[in-house]
Amino acid sequence: MKKYISIIEGDGIGPEIMKQTLKVLNAITKKYNHEFHYNFLFAGGVAIEKYNVPITENTIKNCIESDSVLFSCVGDPKYDCNKIGFRPEDGILKLRKSMRLYCNIRPILFFPGINISPIKQEIINKADFIIYRELTGGIYFGKKGRSKNLRKAYDYCVYSKKEIIRIAKVAFDASLLRKKKVTLVDKANVLETSKLWRETVKEVSLDYPKVKLDYLYIDNAAIQIIKNPNNFDIILTDNMFGDILSDESSVISGSLGLLPSASIGDNKKYLFEPVHGSYPIAKGKNIANPIGCILSAAMMLDYFGMLKEKILLEKAVKMSILNKISTEDINTDNPSGTEEVGNYIEKYIFNY
Ligand code: IPM
Ligand code: MN
């Protein structure tokens, strides 16, 4: 198969982890005779440096026209206080919005061979749930700003029924192929938008009589994810709560550096990116974990319909972890570098 993929390396550790990801993807394409063409584009702090904006219209156009986008991470403390629209993070936010990627899928898995989680192994060793995070609405995209004297600030949280229905359907459809259980996480005891989420998701659930729907307030969900992760199968939630819960859930896997994600919409052009940020202090040190980015590429293979390829890539990743070829975040005793992890996975694929 021939595919055109936009590559955005972004800031901080972005280029290093993407290098390993492309290395292992190339091993897959060689083995299975695919042809992937990569188009390198800029977003984040590097784009501010180059073009004075965190992402250009041309970059967005290129992303929309390619078969998919593989994205590392953006963020650079140097630009944290820039005005709205000119921070590195605005690059990814604008790209998600422009590509209409309203649903962000973040699988949370336990990885055998990692035992650094502060949670007891018997609690987490069967954890397997997926967070469906709304990605183009809510407080992230509501009107925001400051009063004239700068002493007041506001961020409006707005959701329409239409925005809730479309992601709810994706989550319910996915649950039919799993344990048929959806948990809506909200703050319906306080927030009006959360009340709308509850009402609307309940309505959607009527079309899915086989799926059990339950509800949790975000504050309680934060506890339950750590205490009883096995109670979850699909978590459906808004943009902000999904952002926070996915970072928290990484404690189950052992490191934020392991978690991948896929962002999807109705346009069939998707974006794949790790859950973590740009980890600026690790930049250039060859210590960052490339697995979140590599597993995001595996999710991309799945979306291309390359199932055996995806399975092999995931297997290679699991073997690297079991054989302790892993970075310091999950292997404190005898850590490998970013590059060595990539080399191991590449070799595993070639020798398979
Ligand atoms: C994430 C990140 C982003 C978000 C940032 C970089 C804007 O934290 O993908 O979880 O908040 O969505
Ligand atoms: Mn986040």
Side-chain angles (χ1 to χ4, degrees), residues 164-195:
I164 301 167
I165 291 170
R166 61 187 183 184
I167 184 173
K169 281 187 177 162
V170 180
F172 277 97
D173 283 338
S175 84
L176 290 174
L177 304 172
R178 293 176 54 96
K179 291 188 195 151
K180 301 183 180 57
K181 185 179 173 194
V182 172
T183 304
L184 173 66
V185 172
D186 61 27
K187 187 76 186 172
N189 49 346
V190 177
L191 302 178
E192 203 52 37
T193 45
S194 286
K195 286 179 215 160

Side-chain angles (χ1 to χ4, degrees), residues 74 89 92-93 96 106 133 135 140 243 247 273-275:
V74 289
E89 287 77 1
I92 181 64
L93 296 177
R96 289 169 179 168
R106 300 187 156 183
R133 169 192 178 194
L135 203 61
Y140 270 62
D243 178 48
D247 269 36
E273 58 169 322
V275 169

